[in-house]
Amino acid sequence: MSKLGEILIKKGLLTPEQLEMALKESAQAGEILGKAFLRMKLVTEGQLLEALAEQLDLQFFPSLKDIIVSPDVVKAIPAKFVWHYKFMPLKIKEKVLTIAVSDPLAVWPMDDLKLHLGFDVERVLTTEEEILKAIRRYYGLGADAIEEILAENNIKAEQQKVHHEEIEDVERSAQGASVINLLDQILSEAASSRATDIHIEPYRNSVRVRYRIDGILYDMRMPEQIVHLHQAIVSRIKILSNLNVVEKRLPQDGRAIMKVQDKQVDLRISIIPSLYGENVVIRILPVHLLFNLDKLGLEPQELKTIEELMVKPHGIIFLTGPTGSGKTTTLYACLSRLNKESVKIITIEDPIEYELMGIMQIQVKPEIGMTFANALRSILRHDPDIMMIGEVRDLETAELAIRTSLTGHLIFSTLHTNDAYSGATRLLDVGIEPYLVASSMNAFISQRLVRVICPDCKEEVKDKELVPELFRSMKLYRGRGCENCKSIGFKGRVAIYEILLVNEQIQELILNKASSSLIKKKAREMGFRSLLDSGIEKVRQGITTPEEVLRVAELEHDRG
């Protein structure tokens, strides 16, 4: 049998000098040679395992992605074995079980499988990362914890219905280690997947868990038995966020700060009753986040325009767009840029999404009369220079904001319209006098978020047959899908903007109660760049795809 070091040298992965150095390190640390290679970063785990496979006459699989495992194999091997020993069962032939392992020197998994399940074991080698991905794919997230909880509560996995008494038993175990472990796994997987929201949705005989990643919802593979544990998970979430565990008929909102993967995160929890139980949405927000105006995706001219708007002494800047379009992030980035010792900034929000040091933030509480309008009246006595109003929802708030801006305050706020040029007409529709709108508005900024092509699997698009005519003359790219982007092809998001400056011509149209289409026409004559224009530029730069831009921005009629 060849020695491991010799095989690595023969493959050109190691020099004799490096082997000598690793042998000394291994002897001093009292560890096996393979671990010394990895610790010293002389080879990768895959390279080491490939060499070990050659040494031990075993098969090596760089990936398990293309291997299909029968459901009968998954049912035959309990999740607790698989997760505990970190191996993946691949096939069973007669009484021989083939498993993928990442440590060929570990013999106890084979002994246990023989003792408890009666299988003889054959091994193939692959990396630990490949094994964990395969376990999640076939067993589902948290399968080991779910098995343990069901065993503790004597609930049979094959039951189609869960009796009321059993549900109560499971709920009482919401503070048990297994339920805590299961929720931790769900949160940890969400964090590693870059998810911003977790949706836990109960149906008649199932529970669906979905993560929102870069604005799109994706199903997470979960064991079917999670349906028996839905109430225990919800109860655990309620305990974490100091909500009423007994109340199941009314909506509840709460928050909790937790450590997930060594990072502190702020969890915003919303629970509503639905037909088959309580529906939970958990929003994951980093406790500490740096808001940088330069990193939002603004083109140089757009950034210059916003910077000029921010130094104006008074007036209102409205950000428009649907929920989840990044308006709050842009507002926070603007406030962070303006946050100085010489300036007093006060915000009124519902909810406060991030804490900003040096800025006074006020949470709206309508149930006790703390509305946007009432809060706005009070904070004027606190001598602010700049204010941010989370959202203008009604005539009273809009009028107060406008009159406040006319008394020498710079105000940032949001408005729910589909584009920048509809902002003024929305205010007129609410009941604001045209002269107040015209004299107080500095700008309407509309924005959307588009997904960024993963830089690790980015490739040029050759076949443009299905690409809209508008984009065919450009060099286009797409993400093939890789490990770094979880095979999605996109990683992260960037904003596209349209900025309507309220100059004299636009003011005149507002005074004449012009329609949004007339305002748009005049803005286009003055060189206004629409959301589509901004998106086209991002496609031209190879940042995103035509499909992403058209998902969030309308194709204008005059473009074809």
Side-chain angles (χ1 to χ4, degrees):
M1 183 190 291
S2 300
K3 290 183 178 178
L4 180 61
E6 291 171 358
I7 295 171
L8 289 168
I9 289 171
K10 190 175 80 176
K11 286 178 174 289
L13 300 171
L14 211 65
T15 65
E17 293 76 23
Q18 287 173 324
L19 175 59
E20 191 64 36
M21 193 165 46
L23 284 166
K24 287 178 184 174
E25 284 276 336
S26 169
Q28 284 175 2
E31 64 187 357
I32 60 173
L33 185 57
K35 286 191 176 177
F37 287 144
L38 292 177
R39 183 168 55 80
M40 296 169 71
K41 297 183 179 176
L42 296 175
V43 294
T44 65
E45 185 188 6
Q47 291 167 338
L48 176 65
L49 288 171
E50 191 174 1
L52 279 168
E54 185 178 322
Q55 184 189 31
L56 301 171
D57 197 23
L58 297 172
Q59 247 186 311
F60 172 72
F61 289 95
S63 170
L64 298 180
K65 189 178 178 182
D66 299 324
I67 294 177
I68 297 168
V69 180
S70 163
D72 294 333
V73 174
V74 175
K75 283 179 186 172
I77 313 300
K80 63 181 179 182
F81 276 102
V82 169
W83 279 107
H84 180 69
Y85 291 121
K86 288 191 174 60
F87 70 85
M88 180 64 206
L90 301 180
K91 65 178 180 180
I92 298 173
K93 192 173 181 181
E94 295 173 350
K95 289 301 276 183
V96 178
L97 170 68
T98 303
I99 63 172
V101 297
S102 62
D103 184 358
L105 303 180
V107 293
W108 50 90
M110 295 183 290
D111 293 343
D112 266 14
L113 286 168
K114 177 76 175 172
L115 179 66
H116 294 287
L117 302 177
F119 288 112
D120 290 319
V121 177
E122 282 186 1
R123 298 168 300 160
V124 299
L125 297 187
T126 190
T127 63
E128 185 174 328
E129 185 183 355
E130 282 298 313
I131 289 168
L132 294 178
K133 280 194 294 189
I135 293 172
R136 281 195 287 267
R137 188 160 70 245
Y138 285 102
Y139 283 87
L141 184 65
D144 55 332
I146 289 171
E147 270 189 8
E148 191 177 333
I149 300 162
L150 293 177
E152 284 172 4
N153 290 276
N154 298 314
I155 299 174
K156 292 179 182 177
E158 64 269 16
Q159 281 180 292
Q160 292 301 307
K161 293 182 182 178
V162 186
H163 298 298
H164 177 74
E165 296 81 8
E166 289 170 337
I167 291 175
E168 293 302 319
D169 287 340
V170 174
E171 279 192 69
R172 281 194 288 272
S173 73
Q175 296 220 61
S178 302
V179 176
I180 292 169
N181 179 37
L182 175 58
L183 184 57
D184 284 348
Q185 284 188 46
I186 292 171
L187 290 169
S188 182
E189 182 67 18
S192 66
S193 302
R194 300 178 293 105
T196 53
D197 301 85
I198 303 170
H199 294 244
I200 302 172
E201 306 161 343
Y203 298 96
R204 184 188 291 272
N205 292 314
S206 64
V207 170
R208 188 184 195 186
V209 177
R210 295 194 283 174
Y211 292 168
R212 189 177 292 280
I213 303 167
D214 292 333
I216 307 293
L217 281 170
Y218 294 92
D219 265 325
M220 294 310 296
R221 169 97 166 99
M222 299 293 292
E224 290 177 6
Q225 300 97 314
I226 195 174
V227 67
H228 307 299
L229 307 175
H230 174 251
Q231 283 298 346
I233 294 166
V234 174
S235 295
R236 176 61 192 160
I237 291 166
K238 286 179 179 178
I239 290 164
L240 269 178
S241 49
N242 294 316
L243 297 178
N244 187 344
V245 179
V246 179
E247 181 56 74
K248 298 173 189 172
R249 302 161 301 164
L250 296 171
Q252 294 190 71
D253 292 319
R255 63 182 292 185
I257 293 179
M258 283 186 70
K259 211 168 198 179
V260 178
Q261 293 190 344
D262 296 326
K263 288 181 183 173
Q264 249 193 345
V265 293
D266 195 347
L267 305 180
R268 301 299 169 86
I269 289 118
S270 181
I271 301 175
I272 55 171
S274 65
L275 185 59
Y276 294 107
E278 291 174 286
N279 185 83
V280 181
V281 175
I282 303 172
R283 172 156 282 192
I284 305 169
L285 301 169
V287 171
H288 304 293
L289 192 62
L290 186 64
F291 293 96
N292 192 333
L293 205 54
D294 301 323
K295 305 289 184 188
L296 299 181
L298 289 158
E299 296 298 318
Q301 186 55 48
E302 292 170 338
L303 181 59
K304 185 184 175 190
T305 301
I306 289 179
E307 285 174 336
E308 287 170 356
L309 287 169
M310 288 195 303
V311 296
K312 290 196 173 185
H314 55 80
I316 302 180
I317 299 168
F318 269 116
L319 267 86
T320 74
T323 303
S325 59
K327 300 187 299 294
T328 303
T329 301
T330 301
L331 283 173
Y332 280 1
C334 290
L335 294 181
S336 296
R337 178 72 67 90
L338 293 167
N339 190 11
K340 299 170 187 169
E341 267 187 39
S342 57
V343 176
K344 171 103 172 188
I345 302 174
I346 302 180
T347 72
I348 311 166
E349 304 174 61
D350 185 24
I352 296 171
E353 291 198 20
Y354 299 97
E355 293 176 22
L356 299 174
M357 181 61 72
I359 292 175
M360 296 301 299
Q361 295 174 272
I362 299 168
Q363 171 69 53
V364 169
K365 293 179 182 174
E367 65 275 12
I368 59 169
M370 184 66 153
T371 61
F372 279 109
N374 288 340
L376 187 51
R377 284 192 190 92
S378 299
I379 66 173
L380 285 172
R381 302 188 191 100
H382 285 253
D383 189 29
D385 298 293
I386 298 166
M387 283 178 279
M388 192 266 271
I389 303 165
E391 186 183 344
V392 168
R393 298 174 180 171
D394 52 50
L395 175 60
E396 187 183 15
T397 308
E399 275 190 333
L400 276 168
I402 286 170
R403 294 189 186 281
T404 301
S405 73
L406 293 173
T407 59
H409 297 86
L410 182 62
I411 295 179
F412 292 85
S413 191
T414 69
L415 200 60
H416 281 294
T417 66
N418 288 327
D419 44 56
Y421 35 83
S422 300
T425 53
R426 173 62 56 85
L427 291 170
L428 296 177
D429 291 342
V430 166
I432 304 294
E433 290 296 327
Y435 76 91
L436 286 174
V437 177
S439 58
S440 61
M441 296 300 131
N442 289 346
F444 292 96
I445 303 170
S446 186
Q447 72 174 86
R448 299 290 189 278
L449 294 174
V450 293
R451 292 182 292 171
V452 174
I453 299 168
C454 173
D456 298 300
C457 59
K458 185 175 178 178
E459 62 182 20
E460 191 176 344
V461 175
K462 300 296 183 186
D463 183 8
K464 299 183 183 178
E465 190 179 336
L466 300 176
V467 174
E469 184 68 38
L470 180 61
F471 299 94
R472 284 186 192 170
S473 61
M474 302 177 198
K475 199 179 222 186
L476 303 177
Y477 297 90
R478 68 177 178 190
R480 187 178 58 257
C482 66
E483 305 296 334
N484 291 322
C485 63
K486 305 278 183 183
S487 299
I488 294 169
F490 296 95
K491 192 173 182 183
R493 289 186 290 175
V494 70
I496 58 173
Y497 291 88
E498 61 183 20
I499 303 170
L500 177 66
L501 297 174
V502 182
N503 54 23
E504 287 181 9
Q505 293 98 315
I506 301 298
Q507 282 177 336
E508 190 177 332
L509 289 172
I510 293 170
L511 287 168
N512 292 324
K513 295 186 178 180
S515 66
S516 59
S517 58
L518 279 175
I519 293 174
K520 178 184 177 181
K521 186 180 177 184
K522 173 58 75 174
R524 294 293 275 179
E525 288 172 7
M526 296 186 297
F528 168 80
R529 275 168 49 96
S530 68
L531 282 171
L532 184 62
D533 292 324
S534 182
I536 289 169
E537 185 56 36
K538 292 287 185 287
V539 172
R540 188 176 282 113
Q541 293 171 10
I543 293 170
T544 192
T545 65
E547 294 77 15
E548 265 302 287
V549 172
L550 296 179
R551 183 175 65 84
V552 298
E554 288 185 30
L555 194 61
E556 296 160 12
H557 296 299
D558 56 344
R559 290 180 180 274

